Amino acid sequence: MFKGSRGIRVLFAGFAGGAAIGAMALFGGGTASADTTCSAANNNRVEHADGLSRCIANAGPGSRADARDTSNSGVATAVATQRGKATSINLQPGSQALSSGVRGGNAYSFSTGPRSTSISMARDGGTSVAVGGWGGQAYAGPQGAMCAGGFGAAYDSTTGQYCVKSGSIDIH
């Protein structure tokens, strides 16, 4: 367990690495298939299915939810209520990204590796970020932050907890 500014630097380095991998997956090469995209705002719900690809965006009054699956065989779900914002992006086959923003919370969930799961649950004006990759799982929400499997990174501002896991490296 790392504490103090060194642990914070390691956390942000982990998130930067996850963001870089996500950007490479988003903007790099690959197949020429279309994304399955859902966006909803202000008491709206949008759901799309294309083959094995699914997305759901559900937004209550004053809220915004965005979900996108680029893998052609995964799931992205975003739910926002009470002025919350939720964003879920799944980039890899057999993976799922789930986010929930309530009471002004901002939730971000990214699945960047095959067979990964990321879950973020932001509330009360806080921010939660979860990045699951390479068979990993990441959770950020009311229970804090938890990472397991191959690669995962998570941060929850309301609890102040974070984690980064990559193989045998496990930072809390």
Side-chain angles (χ1 to χ4, degrees):
M1 180 176 319
F2 292 93
K3 296 188 181 204
S5 63
R6 182 172 184 252
I8 299 294
R9 286 192 305 264
V10 170
L11 171 67
F12 287 113
F15 278 126
I21 291 166
M24 287 186 292
L26 277 173
F27 303 113
T31 60
S33 63
D35 297 348
T36 304
T37 303
C38 298
S39 293
N42 296 320
N43 216 25
N44 225 339
R45 176 184 168 89
V46 176
E47 183 173 348
H48 293 293
D50 185 5
L52 297 175
S53 180
R54 305 268 189 274
C55 70
I56 299 170
N58 192 7
S63 302
R64 175 139 188 103
D66 297 293
R68 182 172 59 175
D69 175 58
T70 66
S71 73
N72 293 321
S73 62
V75 176
T77 302
V79 177
T81 62
Q82 300 170 344
R83 299 172 329 283
K85 293 180 183 163
T87 301
S88 295
I89 300 174
N90 177 51
L91 303 172
Q92 295 293 323
S95 297
Q96 52 197 350
L98 313 165
S99 64
S100 170
V102 298
R103 296 185 304 275
N106 296 295
Y108 304 93
S109 182
F110 306 95
S111 292
T112 63
R115 295 177 311 281
S116 65
T117 300
S118 58
I119 301 169
S120 64
M121 301 170 64
R123 66 252 166 254
D124 302 323
T127 299
S128 292
V129 180
V131 180
W134 307 294
Q137 296 84 43
Y139 166 86
Q143 305 302 315
M146 292 172 261
C147 300
F151 174 82
Y155 169 70
D156 180 70
S157 71
T158 305
T159 63
Q161 292 187 14
Y162 62 88
C163 63
V164 177
K165 174 134 179 34
S166 180
S168 63
I169 300 171
D170 193 1
I171 303 168
H172 292 82

